[in-house]
Amino acid sequence: DAGVTQSPTHLIKTRGQQVTLRCSPKSGHDTVSWYQQALGQGPQFIFQYYEEEERQRGNFPDRFSGHQYPNYSSELNVNALLLGDSALYLCASSPGPHEKLFFGSGTQLSVL
Amino acid sequence: AQKVTQAQTEISVVEKEDVTLDCVYETRDTTYYLFWYKQPPSGELVFLIRRNSFDEQNEISGRYSWNFQKSTSSFNFTITASQVVDSAVYFCALSEAYYNTDKLIFGTGTRLQVFP
Protein backbone atom coordinates (compact mmCIF):
# COMPACT_ATOMS: atom_id res chain seq x y z
CA ASP A 1 0.00 0.00 0.00
CA ALA A 2 1.68 3.16 -1.21
CA GLY A 3 1.70 6.11 1.10
CA VAL A 4 1.46 9.73 0.03
CA THR A 5 3.62 10.35 -3.02
CA GLN A 6 4.82 13.71 -4.26
CA SER A 7 6.60 14.82 -7.39
CA PRO A 8 9.02 16.17 -8.21
CA THR A 9 11.41 15.74 -5.30
CA HIS A 10 13.39 18.86 -6.07
CA LEU A 11 12.74 21.84 -8.28
CA ILE A 12 14.70 24.96 -9.17
CA LYS A 13 12.90 27.97 -10.64
CA THR A 14 13.62 31.64 -11.16
CA ARG A 15 11.65 34.59 -9.90
CA GLY A 16 8.46 35.28 -11.80
CA GLN A 17 8.06 31.74 -13.07
CA GLN A 18 5.20 29.41 -12.33
CA VAL A 19 5.41 25.95 -10.77
CA THR A 20 3.12 22.95 -10.37
CA LEU A 21 3.62 20.37 -7.67
CA ARG A 22 1.80 17.04 -7.62
CA CYS A 23 0.50 14.74 -4.93
CA SER A 24 -1.20 11.35 -4.77
CA PRO A 25 -2.89 10.60 -1.45
CA LYS A 26 -2.69 7.37 0.46
CA SER A 27 -5.06 4.74 -0.85
CA GLY A 28 -8.53 5.19 0.64
CA HIS A 29 -8.03 8.86 1.52
CA ASP A 30 -10.12 11.48 -0.24
CA THR A 31 -8.80 14.61 1.46
CA VAL A 32 -5.54 16.33 0.55
CA SER A 33 -3.86 19.19 2.38
CA TRP A 34 -0.83 21.23 1.39
CA TYR A 35 1.71 22.76 3.73
CA GLN A 36 4.69 25.04 3.22
CA GLN A 37 7.72 24.55 5.44
CA ALA A 38 10.40 27.22 5.36
CA LEU A 39 13.86 26.33 6.61
CA GLY A 40 13.93 26.01 10.38
CA GLN A 41 10.19 26.55 10.73
CA GLY A 42 7.13 24.42 11.31
CA PRO A 43 4.83 23.62 8.39
CA GLN A 44 2.25 26.28 7.51
CA PHE A 45 -1.18 25.25 6.22
CA ILE A 46 -1.85 26.42 2.65
CA PHE A 47 -5.20 24.79 1.86
CA GLN A 48 -7.18 21.58 1.88
CA TYR A 49 -9.14 19.89 -0.89
CA TYR A 50 -12.08 17.57 -0.49
CA GLU A 51 -14.45 16.40 -3.21
CA GLU A 52 -12.54 18.52 -5.72
CA GLU A 53 -13.22 21.73 -3.83
CA GLU A 54 -11.07 23.93 -1.63
CA ARG A 55 -12.44 23.42 1.86
CA GLN A 56 -10.25 25.76 3.87
CA ARG A 57 -7.42 28.12 3.11
CA GLY A 58 -4.57 29.39 5.22
CA ASN A 59 -2.99 32.83 5.08
CA PHE A 60 -1.49 32.56 1.61
CA PRO A 61 -1.97 34.91 -1.36
CA ASP A 62 -3.98 34.06 -4.44
CA ARG A 63 -0.74 33.21 -6.24
CA PHE A 64 -1.14 29.87 -4.52
CA SER A 65 -3.89 27.79 -6.07
CA GLY A 66 -4.77 24.15 -6.24
CA HIS A 67 -6.81 21.49 -7.82
CA GLN A 68 -8.09 18.06 -6.91
CA TYR A 69 -8.96 15.44 -9.48
CA PRO A 70 -11.70 12.78 -9.33
CA ASN A 71 -9.08 10.19 -8.37
CA TYR A 72 -8.27 12.43 -5.34
CA SER A 73 -4.80 13.37 -6.55
CA SER A 74 -3.98 17.03 -6.22
CA GLU A 75 -1.84 19.81 -7.62
CA LEU A 76 -0.44 22.92 -6.04
CA ASN A 77 0.26 25.81 -8.39
CA VAL A 78 2.29 28.85 -7.49
CA ASN A 79 2.42 31.81 -9.89
CA ALA A 80 4.83 34.72 -10.07
CA LEU A 81 7.36 33.02 -7.85
CA LEU A 82 9.19 35.06 -5.24
CA LEU A 83 12.45 34.28 -3.50
CA GLY A 84 10.44 33.80 -0.30
CA ASP A 85 8.55 30.93 -1.87
CA SER A 86 11.64 28.77 -1.49
CA ALA A 87 10.59 26.03 0.92
CA LEU A 88 9.70 22.39 1.36
CA TYR A 89 6.14 21.80 0.19
CA LEU A 90 4.42 18.95 1.95
CA CYS A 91 1.29 17.15 0.91
CA ALA A 92 -0.79 15.22 3.41
CA SER A 93 -3.87 13.03 3.30
CA SER A 94 -6.16 11.68 5.97
CA PRO A 95 -9.16 9.40 6.39
CA GLY A 96 -11.18 12.25 7.91
CA PRO A 97 -11.04 15.56 9.79
CA HIS A 98 -8.84 15.67 12.87
CA GLU A 99 -7.51 12.21 12.22
CA LYS A 100 -3.79 11.70 11.86
CA LEU A 101 -2.28 13.09 8.71
CA PHE A 102 -0.07 11.01 6.46
CA PHE A 103 2.62 13.17 4.89
CA GLY A 104 4.64 12.76 1.74
CA SER A 105 8.37 13.39 1.63
CA GLY A 106 7.80 16.79 0.09
CA THR A 107 9.02 18.82 -2.85
CA GLN A 108 11.97 21.08 -2.17
CA LEU A 109 11.45 24.24 -4.21
CA SER A 110 14.30 26.67 -4.70
CA VAL A 111 13.58 30.05 -6.28
CA LEU A 112 16.64 31.88 -7.61
CA ALA B 1 -5.63 33.22 18.80
CA GLN B 2 -4.35 29.77 17.99
CA LYS B 3 -0.73 29.21 18.71
CA VAL B 4 1.72 26.45 19.54
CA THR B 5 4.97 27.27 21.28
CA GLN B 6 7.98 24.99 21.45
CA ALA B 7 10.47 27.03 23.39
CA GLN B 8 13.33 24.53 23.06
CA THR B 9 14.97 25.09 19.71
CA GLU B 10 17.57 22.37 20.07
CA ILE B 11 18.38 19.71 22.65
CA SER B 12 21.47 17.52 22.74
CA VAL B 13 21.71 14.42 24.89
CA VAL B 14 23.86 11.35 25.18
CA GLU B 15 22.35 7.97 24.41
CA LYS B 16 20.29 6.43 27.23
CA GLU B 17 19.46 9.80 28.74
CA ASP B 18 15.81 10.72 29.23
CA VAL B 19 14.65 13.87 27.45
CA THR B 20 11.44 15.92 27.61
CA LEU B 21 10.23 18.12 24.79
CA ASP B 22 7.92 20.93 25.86
CA CYS B 23 4.80 22.14 24.08
CA VAL B 24 2.46 24.94 25.12
CA TYR B 25 -0.64 25.79 23.12
CA GLU B 26 -3.24 28.54 22.94
CA THR B 27 -6.79 28.14 21.72
CA ARG B 28 -10.23 29.59 22.40
CA ASP B 29 -11.93 26.42 21.29
CA THR B 30 -13.15 23.99 23.94
CA THR B 31 -12.77 21.02 21.63
CA TYR B 32 -9.42 20.57 19.99
CA TYR B 33 -6.82 17.98 19.12
CA LEU B 34 -3.12 17.87 19.85
CA PHE B 35 -0.50 16.00 17.87
CA TRP B 36 3.17 15.20 17.89
CA TYR B 37 5.05 14.52 14.67
CA LYS B 38 8.64 13.49 14.07
CA GLN B 39 10.58 14.76 11.06
CA PRO B 40 13.76 12.80 10.31
CA PRO B 41 16.32 14.13 7.80
CA SER B 42 14.33 12.52 4.96
CA GLY B 43 11.73 15.28 5.44
CA GLU B 44 8.60 13.18 5.82
CA LEU B 45 6.57 13.99 8.92
CA VAL B 46 5.78 10.86 10.92
CA PHE B 47 2.74 10.78 13.18
CA LEU B 48 3.44 9.90 16.83
CA ILE B 49 0.28 10.65 18.79
CA ARG B 50 -3.13 12.36 18.69
CA ARG B 51 -4.99 13.56 21.76
CA ASN B 52 -8.40 15.20 22.05
CA SER B 53 -9.11 17.91 24.59
CA PHE B 54 -11.41 15.71 26.66
CA ASP B 55 -8.85 13.00 27.27
CA GLU B 56 -6.23 14.07 29.78
CA GLN B 57 -4.93 10.59 30.43
CA ASN B 58 -1.21 10.34 30.03
CA GLU B 59 -0.08 7.84 27.45
CA ILE B 60 2.91 5.58 27.20
CA SER B 61 4.05 3.82 24.07
CA GLY B 62 7.29 1.95 24.53
CA ARG B 63 9.98 4.51 25.30
CA TYR B 64 7.65 7.39 24.48
CA SER B 65 5.24 9.05 26.90
CA TRP B 66 3.05 12.12 26.76
CA ASN B 67 1.81 14.38 29.56
CA PHE B 68 -1.30 16.42 28.70
CA GLN B 69 -2.28 19.11 31.21
CA LYS B 70 -5.18 21.38 30.28
CA SER B 71 -4.63 23.53 33.38
CA THR B 72 -1.28 24.69 31.99
CA SER B 73 -2.14 24.22 28.28
CA SER B 74 0.79 21.90 27.88
CA PHE B 75 1.35 18.65 26.01
CA ASN B 76 4.87 17.49 26.76
CA PHE B 77 6.65 14.54 25.21
CA THR B 78 9.25 12.40 26.99
CA ILE B 79 11.64 9.92 25.45
CA THR B 80 13.06 7.47 27.96
CA ALA B 81 16.50 5.96 27.36
CA SER B 82 17.06 7.93 24.17
CA GLN B 83 18.72 6.31 21.16
CA VAL B 84 20.64 7.71 18.22
CA VAL B 85 17.68 6.84 15.96
CA ASP B 86 15.57 9.34 17.94
CA SER B 87 17.57 12.18 16.41
CA ALA B 88 15.09 14.29 14.45
CA VAL B 89 13.01 17.45 14.60
CA TYR B 90 9.86 17.02 16.66
CA PHE B 91 6.77 19.12 16.10
CA CYS B 92 3.78 19.69 18.32
CA ALA B 93 0.57 20.71 16.52
CA LEU B 94 -2.97 21.86 17.28
CA SER B 95 -6.20 21.26 15.39
CA GLU B 96 -9.44 23.02 16.33
CA ALA B 97 -12.74 21.18 16.03
CA TYR B 98 -14.51 24.39 14.97
CA TYR B 99 -12.85 23.97 11.60
CA ASN B 100 -13.87 20.60 10.30
CA THR B 101 -10.69 20.24 8.30
CA ASP B 102 -7.15 18.98 8.55
CA LYS B 103 -5.66 22.37 9.29
CA LEU B 104 -2.86 21.89 11.78
CA ILE B 105 -1.08 24.71 13.55
CA PHE B 106 2.48 23.64 14.13
CA GLY B 107 5.06 24.88 16.56
CA THR B 108 8.53 25.77 15.31
CA GLY B 109 9.88 22.39 16.30
CA THR B 110 12.59 21.08 18.61
CA ARG B 111 15.68 19.54 17.06
CA LEU B 112 16.83 16.58 19.15
CA GLN B 113 20.35 15.27 18.72
CA VAL B 114 21.24 12.04 20.47
CA PHE B 115 24.95 11.29 20.57
CA PRO B 116 26.37 7.80 21.06
Side-chain angles (χ1 to χ4, degrees), chain B residues 15-86:
Chain B
E15 222 174 7
K16 296 184 183 178
E17 279 188 50
D18 298 346
V19 58
T20 295
L21 309 182
D22 298 332
C23 173
V24 174
Y25 62 91
E26 294 177 34
T27 177
R28 287 175 293 187
D29 209 344
T30 56
T31 303
Y32 51 89
Y33 301 84
L34 296 166
F35 300 79
W36 276 94
Y37 283 86
K38 173 183 180 179
Q39 188 174 42
S42 62
E44 181 176 336
L45 284 160
V46 178
F47 168 84
L48 295 177
I49 190 171
R50 168 185 175 271
R51 241 326 168 240
N52 73 54
S53 53
F54 298 109
D55 184 0
E56 285 193 74
Q57 268 193 333
N58 291 331
E59 180 154 340
I60 299 174
S61 176
R63 295 184 297 107
Y64 296 169
S65 62
W66 290 270
N67 185 317
F68 176 29
Q69 292 194 342
K70 286 179 73 171
S71 60
T72 56
S73 297
S74 65
F75 187 43
N76 297 337
F77 172 34
T78 297
I79 301 175
T80 302
S82 59
Q83 300 176 2
V84 173
V85 293
D86 295 327

Side-chain angles (χ1 to χ4, degrees), chain A residues 31 33 35 37 40-45 48 55-56 58 88 90 93-94 96-101 103-105, chain B residues 33 35 37 39 42-47 50 89 91 95-109:
Chain A
T31 302
S33 301
Y35 287 80
Q37 186 178 16
Q41 300 296 315
Q44 299 287 317
F45 177 78
Q48 180 185 42
R55 175 183 268 182
Q56 189 182 6
L88 179 67
L90 294 163
S93 70
S94 76
H98 309 299
E99 297 296 325
K100 71 177 185 180
L101 290 181
F103 283 86
S105 297
Chain B
Y33 301 84
F35 300 79
Y37 283 86
Q39 188 174 42
S42 62
E44 181 176 336
L45 284 160
V46 178
F47 168 84
R50 168 185 175 271
V89 181
F91 290 97
S95 172
E96 295 181 324
Y98 177 80
Y99 301 101
N100 198 32
T101 69
D102 289 331
K103 177 182 178 181
L104 289 180
I105 300 156
F106 284 87
T108 51

Side-chain angles (χ1 to χ4, degrees), chain A residues 53-69:
Chain A
E53 291 193 0
E54 185 182 291
R55 175 183 268 182
Q56 189 182 6
R57 187 179 185 90
N59 189 24
F60 281 81
D62 291 344
R63 298 187 298 110
F64 289 77
S65 64
H67 187 79
Q68 185 178 35
Y69 295 93

Side-chain angles (χ1 to χ4, degrees), chain A residues 1-3 24-32 50 71-72 93-96 102:
Chain A
D1 177 26
S24 292
K26 183 176 170 60
S27 177
H29 292 180
D30 55 8
T31 302
V32 173
Y50 172 68
N71 67 353
Y72 308 127
S93 70
S94 76
F102 291 79

